[in-house]
Amino acid sequence: MSAPTLDRSATGSPDEATLQEQFDATIAADRRIEPRDWMPEGYRKTLVRQVAQHAHSEIIGMQPEGDWLLAAPSLRRKAVLLAKVQDEAGHGLYLYSAAETLGADRADLTDKLIEGRQKYSSIFNYPTPAYADVGVIGWLVDGAAICNQVPLCRSSYGPYARAMIRVCKEESFHQRQGYELLMTMMRGTDEQRAMVQDAVDRWWWPSLMMFGPPDDESPNTAQSMAWGIKRHTNDELRQRFVDMTVPQAQALGVTLPDPDLAWDADSGHWRFGAIDWEEFRRVLAGDGPKNAERIARRRAARDDNAWVVEAATAYARKHERGAA
Amino acid sequence: MHEETVYDALTNAHGEAGHWAFGTGFDDPLAGVDTTVPDGIDPADLGAYCLMLGDDALVLAQRLTQWITRAPELEEEVAIGNIALDLLGQARLLLARAGSVGVLGRSREQATATIPDEDALAYFRDVDEFRSTALVAAPDADFAQAVVRLVAASTVRLAVFTRLRSSRDPVLAAIAAKGVHELAYHRDHAARWVLRLGDGTEESHRRARSAVEAVWPLLADLFTATDVEERLAAAGVAVDPAAVRDEVRDVLTQVLERATLPVPAWPAGAPPRGRLGEHGPELAELLGILQGLARQHPAATW
């Protein structure tokens, strides 16, 4: 876990004030901080936490939909879903790589995830009992993720910003595929339409929670915005998502489960009802329907296959020596 | 990508210009392909042969997919996903080819007319109508079994597909020409893992050795031709599996030797039970999961 190019012992260094000035100037000019640049310890730590949490979310996020891979109801849907879940593994990979440019280590981050010392998006702790859930995750969950992530394509940290560009392209693709599945199901049988509505009822509020607590309860937002690693507040992004999604729900022919949802002509926004933040905190704290199962599977993938990783390492070492 | 462009793509996501992942479009996989059966070829035989090759691919794709979210490394999640997607693509083409020559078995008794042939065949055939071999149906107890089975299955399939490129059926020939590139990668990927496990640690060597012992007996029936294969091979359409046996044995022997693994005696030839629709309980179980949802909603469109 060493990162020799990062100056992390800067305390008392005569250059620190200058370095901080250069860093501040880079941020002020909206230019990118790169791995070899000096950065304040708080910036580095916050970014590692943010990027790792994002990477973990991609990897844990493979599970709820992955549960339908074996039972997808047509070969084409199976191929679409498999390609999507594979993309998520790819996103996890390049996000862990971005975290590694900050001196973190993938295996260590994975351990932290499994031990509950780092979080992932609490949305993935909800179950996927119906195939319509695959479509609704694509539409709402990937839709919300895109709203969250598009601004991060302009993150002040170069490797993260560049990773996000690719992630966002693929996410928007997944969002379309999800929406298209729902469109198809809505044209199908009554039973299918009921499945879609039921899935929307279950996923709508958790999707709104994906943007995080309201601004007045989000203490780190100001610092993260000053550092350019967050571009909009939670409530701004949530509003943007709702405004974008309501017309899509209308086009689809489903009802969003919020009696208070209403168009506000004065502000030009859709107003929505109160979010149950108690549920959010409970699920985030580990008491969601699937928290234990998600982590248990990740742990099993690590532990049951540890012998494979050891073998690959031993083989590489042997053959490296043999070649020398 | 600029922020506004991404939002734009998102809000206009449902227009005509949508892009789709390769192989996941709406079209019938054989759309635009001339599916006329050349003179002198029995369509029933051709369809039955396509089911053999298609079912192997479908069942192996399903087995590999079981590893997704459970693989040893994220890189391996991606690789296994790739291989399963390739095989799924081959299965779709081959099942569609069988359907195009009218070989649908009893599937149409249950599948509604809106269900495409590939799905009627995959989801609405009973287990005794499947033509896959025991090699692809066997569950894998650990990652060693997964890669040993994969190296064996892809070696056989690559040898067959290489020859099928000159099949008198132009559709089969085209499927094979595309498939050989994929299969060469599958074989290479699996072989590299067999080397790492065989020549890795004591534990991985022991597990790889057990995997070889579990997989080798499943090779017994792979090289015995059915009547269908014999007739089609004589007509220049199919490959007689007996013709690839020596090549397969040489390749697999070489892999095991390089992996420092003992090479078991080559199993004696056995009747091609799987090709004739005789399967163990593991295939019925696999199909139960694969077909369950589609069969619950036979009138649905997905």
Side-chain angles (χ1 to χ4, degrees):
Chain A
M1 259 206 62
S2 69
T5 55
L6 301 177
D7 183 357
R8 289 197 261 153
S9 57
T11 321
S13 153
D15 285 333
E16 189 176 353
T18 319
L19 291 166
Q20 179 76 48
E21 255 172 51
Q22 285 168 352
F23 173 85
D24 292 343
T26 303
I27 299 285
D30 205 16
R31 291 199 309 268
R32 302 285 163 267
I33 305 294
E34 295 298 337
R36 287 166 197 282
D37 296 342
W38 181 90
M39 61 189 84
E41 189 60 15
Y43 177 88
R44 193 189 68 82
K45 273 191 178 154
T46 305
L47 260 174
V48 167
R49 194 174 62 227
Q50 182 183 352
V51 177
Q53 184 170 319
H54 189 170
H56 297 331
S57 301
E58 295 284 355
I59 299 308
I60 296 294
M62 294 167 71
Q63 293 185 28
E65 289 178 281
D67 286 347
W68 282 104
L69 280 170
L70 297 175
S74 78
L75 295 183
R76 174 176 170 261
R77 289 293 171 202
K78 192 191 280 285
V80 168
L81 186 57
L82 186 48
K84 178 186 172 177
V85 172
Q86 189 195 29
D87 281 348
E88 286 163 355
H91 295 174
L93 267 176
Y94 29 90
L95 288 164
Y96 283 124
S97 300
E100 288 189 327
T101 66
L102 291 158
D105 169 77
R106 196 208 302 180
D108 176 61
L109 296 175
T110 301
D111 292 345
K112 288 192 167 106
L113 165 70
I114 290 170
E115 289 154 19
R117 289 188 285 138
Q118 282 182 344
K119 297 205 179 302
Y120 56 91
S121 179
S122 62
I123 192 85
F124 299 118
N125 292 317
Y126 291 89
T128 44
Y131 202 75
D133 292 353
V134 169
V136 172
I137 288 177
W139 173 39
L140 296 181
V141 176
D142 293 335
I146 295 165
C147 283
N148 262 332
Q149 292 166 14
V150 164
L152 299 178
C153 298
R154 294 188 295 117
S155 165
S156 65
Y157 189 59
Y160 189 41
R162 290 187 288 274
M164 290 319 299
I165 290 172
R166 181 158 171 194
V167 168
C168 283
K169 278 185 191 172
E170 292 179 353
E171 292 291 355
S172 99
F173 196 73
H174 300 160
Q175 205 241 1
R176 286 172 213 211
Q177 290 174 327
Y179 194 76
E180 186 268 324
L181 168 62
L182 298 178
M183 278 289 196
T184 306
M185 289 184 71
M186 292 301 283
R187 286 194 299 264
T189 61
D190 287 345
E191 221 176 348
Q192 284 184 293
R193 277 185 286 277
M195 282 166 74
V196 173
Q197 182 61 58
D198 178 63
V200 170
D201 290 346
R202 286 182 285 107
W203 288 95
W204 172 249
W205 291 108
S207 299
L208 294 190
M209 295 175 197
M210 282 177 70
F211 297 92
D215 293 349
D216 51 15
E217 291 171 36
S218 180
N220 301 323
T221 292
Q223 176 63 76
S224 288
M225 286 180 74
W227 273 333
I229 54 180
K230 188 164 179 169
R231 293 291 185 174
H232 305 281
T233 71
N234 296 350
D235 286 332
E236 284 167 8
L237 291 167
R238 189 163 17 242
Q239 184 65 56
R240 192 183 274 210
F241 173 70
V242 172
D243 289 342
M244 213 155 57
T245 306
V246 172
Q248 294 173 352
Q250 290 167 340
L252 191 59
V254 294
T255 308
L256 297 172
D258 178 359
D260 296 329
L261 191 67
W263 175 248
D264 176 12
D266 292 343
S267 65
H269 290 298
W270 285 90
R271 294 295 167 215
F272 51 94
I275 293 170
D276 179 1
W277 291 112
E278 196 36 54
E279 174 181 326
F280 175 74
R281 278 185 284 271
R282 213 176 53 235
V283 177
L284 195 65
D287 194 19
K290 291 281 180 180
N291 297 55
E293 191 181 315
R294 301 288 183 241
I295 291 299
R297 192 191 300 184
R298 190 75 194 99
R299 182 192 298 275
R302 181 193 64 180
D303 295 353
D304 297 353
N305 294 307
W307 66 274
V308 177
V309 178
E310 283 159 21
T313 311
Y315 180 85
R317 208 176 295 128
K318 252 186 237 182
H319 289 266
E320 196 176 278
R321 261 209 315 267
Chain B
M1 187 187 278
H2 189 269
E3 182 174 341
E4 299 314 316
T5 320
V6 185
Y7 275 121
D8 195 45
L10 179 62
T11 46
N12 297 315
H14 319 299
E16 296 290 313
H19 298 288
W20 298 93
F22 178 76
T24 59
F26 288 102
D27 288 343
D28 172 336
L30 291 180
V33 175
D34 179 3
T35 53
T36 315
V37 179
D39 287 344
I41 299 175
D42 179 359
D45 278 356
L46 177 60
Y49 186 58
C50 289
L51 291 184
M52 296 177 194
L53 298 176
D55 289 346
D56 275 352
L58 177 61
V59 172
L60 184 52
Q62 188 81 351
R63 281 288 176 227
L64 289 167
T65 301
Q66 289 179 315
W67 281 94
I68 302 294
T69 71
R70 295 180 166 86
E73 282 288 2
L74 298 182
E75 287 84 350
E76 201 52 28
E77 298 275 357
V78 175
I80 291 172
N82 258 330
I83 296 170
L85 272 169
D86 285 345
L87 290 169
L88 195 53
Q90 293 178 12
R92 293 183 65 192
L93 289 164
L94 287 158
L95 297 184
R97 180 56 172 151
S100 77
V101 298
V103 172
L104 288 152
R106 300 190 304 272
S107 66
R108 283 295 172 199
E109 291 168 18
Q110 296 176 76
T112 49
T114 52
I115 295 176
D117 287 346
E118 60 176 77
D119 290 332
L121 286 166
Y123 292 91
F124 293 93
R125 264 183 307 156
D126 294 333
V127 63
D128 63 322
E129 291 183 283
F130 271 75
R131 295 289 175 264
S132 48
T133 59
L135 175 65
V136 290
D140 26 29
D142 63 9
F143 189 70
Q145 266 186 39
V147 295
V148 169
R149 182 248 300 277
L150 183 59
V151 80
S154 49
T155 300
V156 177
R157 197 168 174 85
L158 177 59
V160 170
F161 271 46
T162 301
R163 288 160 179 78
L164 269 184
R165 286 180 302 180
S166 53
S167 169
R168 276 191 58 227
D169 176 36
V171 179
L172 259 186
I175 294 170
K178 179 172 180 285
V180 287
H181 302 290
E182 298 167 347
L183 293 162
Y185 161 72
H186 306 172
R187 188 180 74 170
D188 181 64
H189 184 77
R192 284 167 190 268
W193 268 117
V194 175
L195 297 192
R196 287 186 201 109
L197 299 185
D199 195 15
T201 62
E202 252 175 61
E203 180 180 9
S204 71
H205 182 87
R206 177 179 59 72
R207 284 177 182 262
R209 193 173 168 163
S210 314
V212 170
E213 282 160 13
V215 166
W216 246 240
L218 303 173
L219 304 174
D221 61 347
L222 295 180
F223 308 100
T224 314
T226 56
D227 295 346
V228 167
E229 286 164 298
E230 272 178 13
R231 285 195 295 272
L232 287 176
V237 176
V239 176
D240 181 343
V244 304
R245 184 182 44 216
D246 291 350
E247 180 186 322
V248 169
R249 183 166 48 194
D250 289 349
V251 171
L252 293 180
T253 301
Q254 202 187 331
V255 171
L256 295 192
E257 281 173 352
R258 276 194 57 193
T260 70
L261 290 163
V263 183
W266 195 254
R273 291 197 184 86
R275 298 286 189 228
L276 300 171
E278 289 174 41
H279 304 285
E282 63 282 351
L283 183 65
E285 193 191 330
L286 179 145
L287 293 178
I289 295 168
L290 188 148
Q291 299 176 332
L293 177 63
R295 287 183 174 218
Q296 257 173 43
H297 304 275
T301 36
W302 305 98

